[in-house]
Amino acid sequence: RMNMYLTVLLLLLTLYGVPSTGQKKKETLLSEKVGQLMDWTGRRAVIRMNGEKFRRFVKAPPRNYSVVIMFTALQPQRQCGVCKQADEEYQILANSWRYSTAFTNKVFFATVDFDEGSDVFQMLNMNSAPSFIHFPAKGKPKKSDSYELQVRGFAAEQLARWVGDRTDVQIRVIRPPSYAGPLMLGFLLAVIGGLAYLRRNNLEFLYNKNVWAFSALCFCLIMTSGQMWNHIRGPPYAHKNPTTGQVSYIHGSSQAQFVAETHIVLLFNSAVTMGMVLLHEAATSDMDIGKRKIMCVAGIGLVMLFFSWLLSIFRAKYHGYPYSFLLS
């Protein structure tokens, strides 16, 4: 009976009390990996990874931490302007987490550059940059672990919301102070005040209908082109494929847009408006008939050509739209 008790005791110690050699190695390896990541994060909020580091610290088990990785192409020869803009926002997000009082070793931020880890891009079948992927502590990344950059933009606040959804880690974004906006506003107000002071004896221009009409028209064109959406979402200026080098200025989805796209739409809307103004002047002005005919032809040409281009952009974004004008 004593032998039986000893056998049961040894069995219980084996199962619950004394960890196996494999378990010890696993815990030691995990501790080393977390310690190394913490050391790198202490130096830089965003860890730079190549193929070897990615396979060791992200792909290979054990891992009890999440890793958010920005895949980018920052080398000058890649000419990826949006990568630099997205990297600045990503650095702000990572630093906000690194210097937060809630900082833990549950989430790490890293980056993989195409020229330093092209094998990682091939491993993940990635052909565009920048891209953001969350690698959870357990399991493989799901579709929702890939950040919808072209829909949500790359502003640090938007990235923080996405990270919070994927990891339950809430990051309060802290931006470094910027005085450019207040300085520009102060300069603009000073210029306007100076002009008003210089013309204080002749302020008839304030009652000029054409001045106010032009100002209102500019405001409407800016708002209808999508500038406010850009300000809220912070989309990239354009998208460049790092593999082919092809640059896209028009987003292929109706749910998002590029900054360059709003500039193009603003230009086209302005041209259509100018054409309508010319048509109105041709019909109501007192100029000779020859000049009015020229204005009429120019107005019709502007309206037809640029409206056709606007419609083609609409067709490119809303797939299946059946109508076109001049351009198919």
Side-chain angles (χ1 to χ4, degrees):
R1 182 174 296 181
M2 182 64 68
N3 292 334
M4 182 179 68
Y5 288 152
L6 289 174
T7 303
V8 173
L9 180 61
L10 289 173
L11 180 61
L12 291 174
L13 288 174
T14 302
L15 292 176
Y16 302 102
V18 181
S20 63
T21 303
Q23 184 68 20
K24 286 184 177 180
K25 288 183 178 180
K26 184 177 179 181
E27 292 177 356
T28 302
L29 179 58
L30 178 60
S31 178
E32 291 176 354
K33 291 171 69 173
V34 173
Q36 183 65 77
L37 289 171
M38 290 292 288
D39 180 59
W40 285 336
T41 303
R43 300 175 189 176
R44 294 183 58 180
V46 177
I47 302 169
R48 296 183 62 175
M49 287 190 174
N50 53 21
E52 180 183 355
K53 291 180 179 178
F54 176 83
R55 284 186 286 271
R56 180 185 174 190
F57 292 94
V58 180
K59 295 293 290 184
R63 182 160 56 85
N64 63 351
Y65 51 85
S66 296
V67 184
V68 178
I69 298 183
M70 173 184 174
F71 296 89
T72 185
L74 293 173
Q75 296 302 318
Q77 66 268 22
R78 298 300 173 185
Q79 298 180 354
C80 183
V82 67
C83 291
K84 297 179 181 179
Q85 299 173 22
D87 182 67
E88 293 176 358
E89 294 293 314
Y90 191 59
Q91 295 287 342
I92 291 174
L93 172 66
N95 278 288
S96 298
W97 170 239
R98 169 64 185 84
Y99 296 104
S100 169
T101 55
F103 175 73
T104 64
N105 57 9
K106 291 183 178 180
V107 180
F108 295 97
F109 291 89
T111 181
V112 176
D113 192 279
F114 181 78
D115 291 280
E116 298 175 357
S118 58
D119 53 336
V120 180
F121 278 73
Q122 295 175 2
M123 182 193 309
L124 301 176
N125 295 321
M126 300 182 62
N127 57 6
S128 63
S131 298
F132 298 89
I133 298 180
H134 165 248
F135 293 87
K138 296 181 180 179
K140 297 181 179 180
K142 302 177 182 178
K143 184 178 180 180
S144 54
D145 287 308
S146 296
Y147 181 70
E148 296 178 327
L149 175 66
Q150 297 178 349
V151 175
R152 305 178 68 171
F154 50 72
E157 290 78 7
Q158 293 288 345
L159 289 169
R161 294 189 188 98
W162 171 66
V163 172
D165 292 339
R166 304 313 308 154
T167 65
D168 293 330
V169 171
Q170 304 303 320
I171 302 176
R172 180 174 175 266
V173 175
I174 301 176
R175 292 183 175 273
S178 175
Y179 303 103
L183 287 175
M184 288 298 298
L185 179 60
F187 176 76
L188 180 61
L189 293 176
V191 170
I192 295 174
L195 292 175
Y197 178 78
L198 292 175
R199 299 194 59 178
R200 60 187 181 277
N201 297 323
N202 183 16
L203 298 178
E204 294 182 0
F205 69 95
L206 293 177
Y207 302 96
N208 190 313
K209 295 181 179 180
N210 291 332
V211 172
W212 288 106
F214 180 76
S215 301
L217 181 60
C218 290
F219 179 79
C220 291
L221 289 173
I222 291 173
M223 290 297 105
T224 55
S225 65
Q227 293 296 332
M228 186 57 67
W229 194 93
N230 293 342
H231 180 73
I232 296 173
R233 293 296 186 90
Y237 186 82
H239 175 72
K240 182 176 182 179
N241 190 313
T243 304
T244 63
Q246 183 179 1
V247 180
S248 300
Y249 298 102
I250 305 296
H251 196 284
S253 170
S254 61
Q255 303 298 318
Q257 65 184 19
F258 298 134
V259 175
E261 181 179 331
T262 63
H263 294 166
I264 294 172
V265 171
L266 174 62
L267 175 63
F268 288 1
N269 282 334
S270 301
V272 172
T273 303
M274 178 60 68
M276 293 181 175
V277 171
L278 289 175
L279 288 173
H280 177 269
E281 290 297 316
T284 60
S285 67
D286 297 331
M287 293 185 294
D288 61 84
I289 190 66
K291 292 182 179 180
R292 292 169 65 183
K293 286 182 178 179
I294 294 175
M295 293 174 63
C296 182
V297 172
I300 292 175
L302 285 172
V303 172
M304 292 179 64
L305 179 62
F306 285 95
F307 179 76
S308 178
W309 279 340
L310 278 173
L311 199 58
S312 66
I313 293 177
F314 188 83
R315 283 169 54 85
K317 296 180 69 66
Y318 290 84
H319 304 286
Y321 186 74
Y323 303 107
S324 62
F325 181 68
L326 293 184
L327 301 176
S328 58

